[in-house]
Amino acid sequence: MSGHSTYEPKSGFERWLDERLPILRWSADHMMSFPTPKNLNYWWTFGAILAMCLGVQIVTGIILAMHYVPHESLAFNSVERIMRDVNYGWLIRYLHANGASMFFIAVYIHMFRGLYYGSYKAPREVLWILGCIIFFLMIATAFMGYVLPWGQMSFHGAVVITNLIGSLPIIGKPVTTWLWGGFAVGGATLNRFFSLHYLLPFMIAGVVGLHIWALHVPGNNNPTGVNVKSKEDTVPFHPYYTVKDGFAMSVFLIMFAVFVFYFPNVLGHADNYVPANPLVTPAHIVPEWYLLPFYAILRAVPDKLIGVLLMFGAIAALFILPWLDTSRVRSMRYRPTAKLYFMIFVLACIVLGFCGAHPPDQQVINGFATFQLLDSDLNTWVWLSRIGTLYYFAFFFFILPLLGLTETPLPTPESISEPVLSNSANAPAGAAASPEKRG
Amino acid sequence: MLRKGIALAALGLAFLAAPALANTNALPPKEAHWSDSGPFGKFDQAQLQRGYKVYREVCSACHSMNLMYFRNLGQPGGPFYEEKYKNPNDNPYVKSIAKDYQVDDIDSETGDVVKRAATSADAFPAPFPNEAAARASNGGALPPDLSVIIKAREEGQEYVYSILTGFGAAPPAGLKIEAGKYYNPYFPGGVIGMTPPLAADKVTFDDGTKSTVDQQAKDVVAFLTWASDPKAQERKQFGLGAMIYLLIFSGLLYASYRRIWRNVAH
């Protein structure tokens, strides 16, 4: 879709600039007239929502950095000072803290959407991999950001996660020492985490640029997974999708605002309002909610190194997904069996999240006696997380490769316009009532 | 429908974030009503004043509030805020409270350490010079700083209220309470180093409120809640405006969306 251009300079200045730096042409082609499939549903608005989240995090983060002090004996109080004495500091800090959670809610929906509609398949493999890189950078940024307030969970979370890296053979120890800036988590760690926490978002912004570039070469996938065939299948990005994305962003902001103004601390942990104390370990060290599924995978196996490898493997699997799925049909809308396994996959991820929040040896169903299986009772979170972990990896390495070879998909439409037209002819009223369900 | 689902999922995740506290072997905190709870909740200024008096006359003997300054007492939403004195440093009540405390300073002429009366710009003085001194005076236990105590505990308001009113029950058989320690079923482990701090009529309330242990506990929790997040009320008021704005804005965008897409089958 790149290459064609409908931009016409309107004034002498625009003509003059267009011959020297065609930045207005570039903007018009990519942000205004870009041909976009007309059947994108609301799940496709999360790209714009994510861009907004990144913008909010960078703007609020830069302001916070003006007041924050990255020092082990001053960091905690400087954050509280932002909340108490900086004009609207409470707003900026709560936006930033809750913004991280909003960012992850949006990115998980965006990723599940890509998974469901086969947006990783040819010719969009690079687009998908760039997205995985963004996700990995987001995890690193969020983890380091959570360390900065230097509360109990910040400190002990940093100890746990950096020690994981130490369990890797050969490179583990030197990398850990390098991360710590010494021989334990301390002031030097805090200072370099602050530096990296400020750096990574701009790297994310750079990869987002590549992500959009890679998107604009083949153009958007769409809920049918069928390629755009003609001009009839598309609408210009502006005003059609600027207004639709704008509406979705505004609704997302309402949810964001509910957290910021009425439940600003509900997504965090009370222990992080206790200043860091290396001598007192909190009863349960848990990461923020968005990392809990990976934490559950880490703890699912008794061996630390294997746990670490599985945890990183869970993310690595995403990178090679385009070559694991053997089905030629993109959208799971036409793959009923795959759809079922996908739903179970989403459920497994949520269950893993719950597993990560609970101590592994605690009972899942209180008072329900079962039997001992290997090292633990069957009715414990550790066994549930093993089942979840098994399914997580089976989905990528077993179900998706085999299903593509064995299943019989439903017939896919000839073009994007075909199901659209038959759909509106059949049930216009119902379709209007729930536009997000429509193709 | 979709949005609602996402919001519900997010709230579900919020519960995930608070891990089960089941094995801290403490009783769940008592239920109580707080005037500041909910999106339209407000502090009762008279209660904040009573609560400050409880802190000052009882808690502050052992517990510091290092993040609090006397000027905070007179800022909007604070216990002694008055419309007349926009700048809390001009508030005569705040000034007179500060004046009762002596703080360290350096004599600019001689460089000697001297004592002077505190001003509204000074922080609340801490009861002990350092952690070792605090532990030495409290049988080895460290009285935590109370600046953000309500945010620093799960269900902070109910928890602190339950601790303050949770003394007096007989310990279960088998739990040995050493000298200088006390049984409190709401405290993790059940054994606390804090002497039961409150007693009926221990603090005389200037507004004539009956000074029961329950009243003192509720008032001081209200004060500590305010101190833990002094901008909470401003936040909720700001939030109401933001919500109304976003709802109207979303409505306009939805109307625009329907209008722009009206001729496109999709």
Side-chain angles (χ1 to χ4, degrees):
Chain A
M1 315 238 163
S2 54
H4 94 289
S5 181
T6 55
Y7 172 74
E8 278 173 32
K10 288 194 185 63
S11 64
F13 171 73
E14 284 175 64
R15 245 190 320 279
W16 180 86
L17 186 64
D18 197 46
E19 285 160 12
R20 287 155 181 83
L21 178 69
I23 188 167
L24 294 175
R25 175 180 299 277
W26 184 88
S27 308
D29 291 347
H30 283 279
M31 290 185 255
M32 308 279 283
S33 67
F34 188 76
T36 312
K38 63 183 179 182
N39 61 337
L40 301 187
N41 55 30
Y42 277 104
W43 299 111
W44 258 265
T45 61
F46 282 89
I49 288 170
L50 283 162
M52 172 180 75
C53 287
L54 180 62
V56 168
Q57 291 305 90
I58 288 181
V59 170
T60 53
I62 288 172
I63 299 168
L64 286 173
M66 294 174 189
H67 303 281
Y68 172 75
V69 185
H71 184 280
E72 55 187 328
S73 57
L74 302 172
F76 185 89
N77 286 359
S78 78
V79 171
E80 273 302 318
R81 195 176 169 84
I82 290 169
M83 304 276 290
R84 287 155 186 267
D85 288 340
V86 173
N87 287 333
Y88 294 103
W90 57 267
L91 177 62
I92 294 160
R93 196 244 165 172
Y94 278 151
L95 277 173
H96 196 74
N98 287 285
S101 286
M102 298 303 122
F103 208 155
F104 275 94
I105 290 173
V107 88
Y108 283 134
I109 294 173
H110 193 64
M111 290 164 76
F112 280 129
R113 190 270 290 158
L115 203 54
Y116 182 81
Y117 291 110
S119 299
Y120 48 85
K121 292 186 191 181
R124 296 187 182 81
E125 300 95 323
V126 173
L127 171 61
W128 171 264
I129 290 169
L130 288 166
C132 294
I133 294 172
I134 294 170
F135 176 57
F136 190 72
L137 288 173
M138 275 175 66
I139 291 176
T141 311
F143 160 65
M144 287 190 281
Y146 194 59
V147 174
L148 301 184
W150 212 238
Q152 275 290 67
M153 222 34 111
S154 299
F155 180 88
H156 292 280
V159 171
V160 170
I161 300 297
T162 50
N163 271 320
L164 292 180
I165 295 161
S167 69
L168 294 172
I170 307 165
I171 59 160
K173 289 286 170 227
V175 169
T176 314
T177 308
W178 175 76
L179 277 175
W180 285 342
F183 301 100
V185 174
T189 322
L190 177 61
N191 217 333
R192 64 190 49 200
F193 275 21
F194 177 56
S195 172
L196 293 172
H197 183 71
Y198 205 115
L199 167 71
L200 290 186
F202 296 97
M203 290 176 64
I204 293 176
V207 185
V208 167
L210 295 177
H211 191 64
I212 295 172
W213 186 4
L215 168 70
H216 280 202
V217 175
N220 293 72
N221 184 26
N222 67 80
T224 64
V226 176
N227 285 338
V228 168
K229 297 259 162 56
S230 68
K231 214 168 172 297
E232 310 296 287
D233 293 343
T234 65
V235 289
F237 187 76
H238 178 75
Y240 291 94
Y241 282 106
T242 42
V243 71
K244 189 171 185 174
D245 286 348
F247 169 61
M249 283 151 89
S250 187
V251 174
F252 189 83
L253 278 178
I254 292 175
M255 181 193 71
F256 193 168
V258 167
F259 280 105
V260 168
F261 294 112
Y262 301 113
F263 307 100
N265 292 313
V266 80
L267 295 167
H269 198 285
D271 271 341
N272 225 29
Y273 280 110
V274 180
N277 183 350
L279 302 176
V280 180
T281 309
H284 303 301
I285 300 171
V286 282
E288 292 284 79
W289 69 265
Y290 40 80
L291 301 179
L292 288 173
F294 297 105
Y295 193 54
I297 292 174
L298 167 78
R299 296 191 306 181
V301 285
D303 185 87
K304 191 169 158 188
L305 177 59
I306 295 174
V308 172
L309 292 176
L310 280 180
M311 183 176 74
F312 284 111
I315 297 169
L318 297 170
F319 280 81
I320 53 168
L321 172 63
W323 296 277
L324 293 175
D325 186 350
T326 50
S327 171
R328 297 166 63 95
V329 178
R330 282 206 195 99
S331 173
M332 287 194 192
R333 183 179 276 184
Y334 307 105
R335 299 177 64 195
T337 324
K339 192 190 279 186
L340 181 70
Y341 284 113
F342 170 80
M343 295 300 176
I344 301 172
F345 177 73
V346 175
L347 186 73
C349 292
I350 294 169
V351 166
L352 280 171
F354 278 92
C355 294
H358 290 86
D361 51 358
Q362 197 186 313
Q363 285 193 326
V364 181
I365 307 161
N366 267 335
F368 181 64
T370 51
F371 56 92
Q372 186 85 8
L373 188 62
L374 302 175
D375 59 343
S376 331
D377 197 272
L378 192 62
N379 181 21
T380 52
W381 289 100
V382 71
W383 267 110
L384 191 59
S385 53
R386 279 168 192 171
I387 297 166
T389 305
L390 193 69
Y391 188 82
Y392 184 98
F393 286 100
F395 181 75
F396 287 116
F397 292 100
F398 187 72
I399 295 170
L400 282 181
L402 286 186
L403 205 57
L405 304 174
T406 58
E407 74 182 343
T408 319
L410 300 175
T412 51
E414 278 302 304
S415 74
I416 289 172
S417 296
E418 187 202 324
V420 164
L421 294 175
S422 60
N423 195 0
S424 48
N426 290 344
S434 57
E436 77 273 15
K437 297 252 170 59
R438 287 202 284 169
Chain B
M1 198 51 221
L2 166 64
R3 299 295 135 171
K4 217 164 156 192
I6 294 165
L8 281 174
L11 275 171
L13 288 165
F15 290 109
L16 257 178
L21 294 162
N23 55 355
T24 54
N25 66 16
L27 285 183
K30 301 181 201 176
E31 294 290 323
H33 175 74
W34 310 100
S35 70
D36 68 292
S37 60
F40 302 102
K42 281 189 165 59
F43 288 112
D44 170 4
Q45 199 179 28
Q47 187 176 35
L48 292 183
Q49 292 179 3
R50 294 195 300 270
Y52 172 65
K53 196 167 185 191
V54 176
Y55 168 72
R56 178 181 162 149
E57 294 185 5
V58 183
C59 319
S60 71
C62 302
H63 292 276
S64 59
M65 284 187 93
N66 289 334
L67 296 170
M68 290 292 290
Y69 294 79
F70 289 110
R71 63 180 160 82
N72 293 137
L73 297 170
Q75 75 189 24
F80 300 105
Y81 174 67
E82 268 192 68
E83 202 98 21
K84 253 193 301 190
Y85 306 108
K86 294 280 183 221
N87 181 348
N89 293 316
D90 301 333
N91 187 313
Y93 212 92
V94 172
K95 283 191 201 171
S96 77
I97 288 171
K99 208 165 71 220
D100 290 345
Y101 290 89
Q102 291 288 309
V103 293
D104 285 339
D105 204 348
I106 306 284
D107 188 319
S108 57
E109 299 288 321
T110 63
D112 294 335
V113 176
V114 292
K115 289 276 184 195
R116 64 160 172 81
T119 70
S120 49
D122 283 303
F124 284 14
F128 302 106
N130 52 52
E131 185 182 329
R135 284 190 189 276
S137 302
N138 288 283
L142 177 68
D145 184 88
L146 297 183
S147 308
V148 290
I149 195 75
I150 302 296
K151 286 196 292 189
R153 298 290 181 276
E154 296 290 345
E155 297 182 75
Q157 289 175 302
E158 287 80 6
Y159 173 80
V160 175
Y161 169 70
S162 303
I163 292 283
L164 290 175
T165 57
F167 290 96
L175 187 67
K176 196 171 168 294
I177 311 289
E178 291 168 38
K181 303 279 178 196
Y182 302 87
Y183 174 63
N184 192 319
Y186 300 97
F187 191 71
V191 183
I192 193 167
M194 178 167 70
T195 319
L198 303 175
D201 296 319
K202 189 165 178 179
V203 180
T204 309
F205 291 134
D206 306 326
D207 61 1
T209 305
K210 198 167 177 335
S211 187
T212 61
V213 168
D214 192 72
Q215 187 67 43
Q216 292 164 16
K218 279 189 173 143
D219 291 349
V220 79
V221 166
F223 170 73
L224 293 172
T225 306
W226 167 77
S228 290
D229 199 353
K231 299 293 172 70
Q233 208 159 302
E234 182 188 343
R235 185 182 80 224
K236 289 174 186 174
Q237 283 164 1
F238 191 104
L240 182 64
M243 297 308 287
I244 292 170
Y245 174 86
L246 284 172
L247 285 169
I248 294 173
F249 189 52
S250 300
L252 287 173
L253 281 168
Y254 187 68
S256 315
Y257 160 68
R258 290 305 295 258
R259 188 165 166 75
I260 286 169
W261 281 80
R262 71 192 183 285
N263 291 328
V264 182
H266 66 288

